[in-house]
């Protein structure tokens, strides 16, 4: 077992997972730097959700390794992984799963209260995030009285309120209209950048992926390329081209996937890679 690079908050090596006998991930390796917004793209059924669930500790790989801040997630007990998800990770689903009996503010405050924070402190923090996401006037309303885009912003506020190290967003704008989709994603990425939160975003929408710093593409459970996109660091976009045929059976090196941004490493990140 090899420790991951120090500058990667998340690191995965040679992940293999099957669902009902069919391969869901085959030799996928990657690294995610602290504060980076990474888009995992690909068509439906390509393994995006499976990869996010594996990186977040919800799903253990059958083979391979997952590390968070140099700690092996794949060897943790279920109780420790549950605590990790509660204390360090945030999760946003394609649909905003809110508690219908609670108001918007109470829904956002819930993760803090589950961690033992005082009721008043939790509600104050929740209101601050609702205000930042331009839905402060919805604080006393229950989900049934709100629009879909408003409910999804509440779900984003709930993921941000604990100030997690990483937010996993699984197709967070899939059910929204185009105008609402752009607004919600910009809200999420702006909030994450301003607070140094790492985001791993699964999407099949190229416009959504364009908001990320970097893109990793999956096809049939295999990683087929990595593309730099213009982001906070101002790096130019790189055309990855067609998939190459030469990597090892365990997929691209995690060291390549998580290297610093000098020119040689940038070229390596832009190079095509296919895990077989």
């Amino acid at each position: 077992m090899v420790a991951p690079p120090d500058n990667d908050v998340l690191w995965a090596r040679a992940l293999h997972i099957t669902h009902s006998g069919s391969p869901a991930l085959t030799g996928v390796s990657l690294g995610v730097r602290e504060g980076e917004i990474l888009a995992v793209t690909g068509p439906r059924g390509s393994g995006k959700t499976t990869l996010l669930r594996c990186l977040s500790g919800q799903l253990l790989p059958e083979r391979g390794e997952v590390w968070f801040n140099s700690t092996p997630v794949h060897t943790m007990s279920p109780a420790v992984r549950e605590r990790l998800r509660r204390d360090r990770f945030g999760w946003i689903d394609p649909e905003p799963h809110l508690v219908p009996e609670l108001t918007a503010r109470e829904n956002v405050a819930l993760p803090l209260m589950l961690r033992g924070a005082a009721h008043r402190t939790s509600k104050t923090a929740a209101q601050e995030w609702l205000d930042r996401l331009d839905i402060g006037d919805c604080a006393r309303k229950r989900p049934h009285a709100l629009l879909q885009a408003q409910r999804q912003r509440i779900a984003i506020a709930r993921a941000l309120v604990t100030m997690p190290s990483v937010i996993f967003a699984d197709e967070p704008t899939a059910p929204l209209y185009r105008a609402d989709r752009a607004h919600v994603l910009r809200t999420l990425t702006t909030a994450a950048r301003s607070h140094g939160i790492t985001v791993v975003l699964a999407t099949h929408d190229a416009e959504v992926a364009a908001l990320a710093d970097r893109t990793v593409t999956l096809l049939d459970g295999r990683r087929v390329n990595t593309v730099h996109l213009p982001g906070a660091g101002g790096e130019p976009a790189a055309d990855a081209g067609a998939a190459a045929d030469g990597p090892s059976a365990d997929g691209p090196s995690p060291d390549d996937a998580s290297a610093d941004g000098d020119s040689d490493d940038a070229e390596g990140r832009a190079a095509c890679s296919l895990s077989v």
Side-chain angles (χ1 to χ4, degrees):
M1 190 162 60
V2 180
D6 291 337
N7 61 337
D8 281 352
V9 65
L10 283 171
W11 188 81
R13 176 182 175 274
L15 299 179
H16 290 261
I17 295 177
T18 59
H19 292 322
S20 301
S22 299
L25 293 178
T26 305
V28 174
S29 300
L30 60 84
V32 188
R33 293 187 294 266
E34 185 174 1
E36 181 177 32
I37 298 177
L38 175 71
V40 180
T41 67
R44 296 185 189 279
S46 58
K48 303 186 298 296
T49 297
T50 301
L51 178 58
L52 263 63
R53 291 185 64 211
C54 195
L55 292 175
S56 64
Q58 296 180 50
L59 181 66
L60 288 178
E62 295 161 15
R63 284 190 288 149
E65 303 172 13
V66 176
W67 296 70
F68 168 69
N69 280 345
S70 300
T71 301
V73 177
H74 56 285
T75 61
M76 290 178 179
S77 68
V80 174
R81 282 188 285 116
E82 176 65 28
R83 189 162 58 247
L84 174 68
R85 294 197 299 272
R86 183 192 65 199
D87 295 344
R88 307 300 298 276
F89 295 160
W91 183 275
I92 303 170
D93 277 309
E95 295 282 346
H97 297 298
L98 305 177
V99 181
E101 295 83 6
L102 300 182
T103 65
R105 185 167 56 194
E106 290 167 342
N107 266 284
V108 176
L110 186 59
L112 289 174
M113 290 189 285
L114 290 175
R115 292 170 61 173
H119 191 78
R120 179 175 294 182
T121 301
S122 300
K123 282 197 167 185
T124 299
Q127 185 65 53
E128 289 174 355
W129 274 109
L130 290 173
D131 291 339
R132 289 174 191 172
L133 299 183
D134 299 324
I135 49 172
D137 57 347
C138 299
R140 295 180 180 275
K141 296 181 180 179
R142 288 179 169 78
H144 70 85
L146 299 172
L147 299 174
Q148 180 82 340
Q150 293 171 322
R151 293 196 295 269
Q152 192 69 333
R153 277 196 287 258
I154 292 167
I156 291 173
R158 184 178 59 188
L160 287 163
V161 73
T162 59
M163 295 294 291
S165 299
V166 184
I167 286 180
F168 298 91
D170 183 17
E171 299 280 9
T173 59
L176 302 180
Y177 291 110
R178 182 169 181 173
D180 288 334
R181 193 164 65 231
H183 187 117
V184 167
L185 253 295
R186 286 194 183 94
T187 297
L188 171 61
T189 55
T190 299
R193 291 190 198 285
S194 66
H195 290 81
I197 298 172
T198 303
V199 177
V200 183
L201 169 70
T203 182
H204 64 277
D205 187 325
E207 292 184 11
V208 171
L211 296 173
D213 301 319
R214 185 165 56 96
T215 298
V216 168
T217 302
L218 299 182
L219 182 63
D220 294 334
R222 292 177 169 84
R223 177 176 161 181
V224 293
N225 60 10
T226 300
V227 183
H228 274 299
L229 296 170
E235 295 174 325
D239 183 3
D245 289 330
S248 68
D250 281 341
S253 165
D255 291 337
D256 293 340
S258 60
D260 293 328
D262 58 51
S263 58
D264 290 339
D265 290 335
E267 291 175 3
R269 281 177 172 274
C272 303
S273 56
L274 176 63
S275 303
V276 295

